[in-house]
Amino acid sequence: MPVYKSLTDNELFVLIQDGDKCAFEEIYERFNGLLYIYACKMVPDREDARDIVQEIFVYLWSNPDIKIKSQLSAYLYTAVRYKIFDWLDKNKSRTNYLQSLESFADRGDYVTDNYIREREFASLIEKEVSLLPPKMRLIFEMSRQQHLSQKEIAEILHLSDKTVKKQMSNALKVLRLKLTSFLLLAVILMLR
């Protein structure tokens, strides 16, 4: 399944909509742990948090007609958040929710730190993208900022689909290499 690892989230999502089980498994691998950690921050029971995340993946797989207006990651996090709200209503856990909210308020500095780290990471990504070779950077920005498909980029730039795909793959490899250490540090700090 190494070919799937090189695809973007949105490319994998298109394959999932066509019923590609391997693409779904790759998305599951990428997001299951992160969504679980996210759910655990708001749901006190670990099994309930796991169930919420699983429901999102079941829905993603069984509804190929889902329309996503932004990035798949944003869609998944939003879906988990709404599922948590449903869970809170069904379980009448308002007391636990209030306690969780108080705890969250007590950790205000932690939230501020996360926001600062998030902004620093966004800035670092922008810097690394600006250092890509010009053609690679242009293709990457057209894909990520203008949300153009590889085919659309190829038509606009008069390149082959294969060239665009290769340039995107190379850009992602470069960025992954440069940003991995920063991400590991951020995750370690988040889990403290």
Side-chain angles (χ1 to χ4, degrees):
M1 195 171 20
V3 71
Y4 290 94
K5 292 204 179 300
S6 66
L7 296 176
T8 67
D9 298 340
N10 286 354
E11 289 171 334
L12 289 168
F13 178 67
V14 170
L15 293 174
I16 289 170
Q17 289 181 308
D18 291 336
D20 190 319
K21 187 179 175 191
C22 292
F24 176 78
E25 289 171 358
E26 178 63 27
I27 287 295
Y28 183 85
E29 287 284 321
R30 288 183 189 181
F31 288 101
N32 182 50
L34 295 171
L35 292 174
Y36 174 70
I37 291 168
Y38 179 69
C40 285
K41 289 180 181 180
M42 292 188 272
V43 176
D45 184 271
R46 302 281 188 224
E47 287 304 311
D48 286 337
R50 189 175 313 282
D51 289 345
I52 286 168
V53 172
Q54 293 307 312
E55 285 181 43
I56 298 303
F57 281 112
V58 167
Y59 184 80
L60 181 68
W61 177 250
S62 58
N63 291 284
D65 297 331
I66 298 172
K67 300 290 181 232
I68 295 179
K69 295 178 183 168
S70 62
Q71 296 295 319
L72 177 63
S73 59
Y75 171 83
L76 291 172
Y77 280 99
T78 302
V80 168
R81 186 171 56 246
Y82 283 122
K83 192 57 95 170
I84 289 169
F85 292 152
D86 290 345
W87 179 87
L88 290 169
D89 285 342
K90 286 179 190 171
N91 291 294
K92 308 285 185 215
S93 298
R94 284 174 173 67
T95 305
N96 289 342
Y97 181 69
L98 288 174
Q99 289 171 347
S100 172
L101 190 58
E102 287 171 2
S103 170
F104 184 77
D106 291 342
R107 296 180 307 175
D109 291 339
Y110 176 75
V111 174
T112 303
D113 287 349
N114 278 347
Y115 177 75
I116 291 168
R117 274 190 225 111
E118 188 177 311
R119 297 304 312 149
E120 287 174 347
F121 187 61
S123 175
L124 182 64
I125 290 172
E126 285 178 38
K127 178 183 171 224
E128 292 301 334
V129 167
S130 73
L131 296 175
L132 291 172
K135 182 175 168 185
M136 188 185 293
R137 183 178 69 235
L138 176 63
I139 291 171
F140 184 84
E141 289 173 344
M142 290 174 80
S143 171
R144 293 299 190 254
Q145 294 171 358
Q146 298 172 23
H147 308 290
L148 298 175
S149 70
Q150 289 180 359
K151 186 174 184 176
E152 292 169 322
I153 295 169
E155 288 173 7
I156 291 168
L157 299 179
H158 306 291
L159 299 170
S160 71
D161 289 358
K162 192 173 185 177
T163 300
V164 172
K165 185 176 183 176
K166 183 67 176 166
Q167 288 290 324
M168 278 300 298
S169 178
N170 288 343
L172 290 170
K173 283 178 190 172
V174 168
L175 292 174
R176 276 189 198 119
L177 275 172
K178 293 187 177 187
L179 300 174
T180 299
S181 59
F182 185 87
L183 275 176
L184 287 173
L185 179 62
V187 168
I188 290 168
L189 292 172
M190 248 178 33
L191 295 175
R192 282 197 297 159

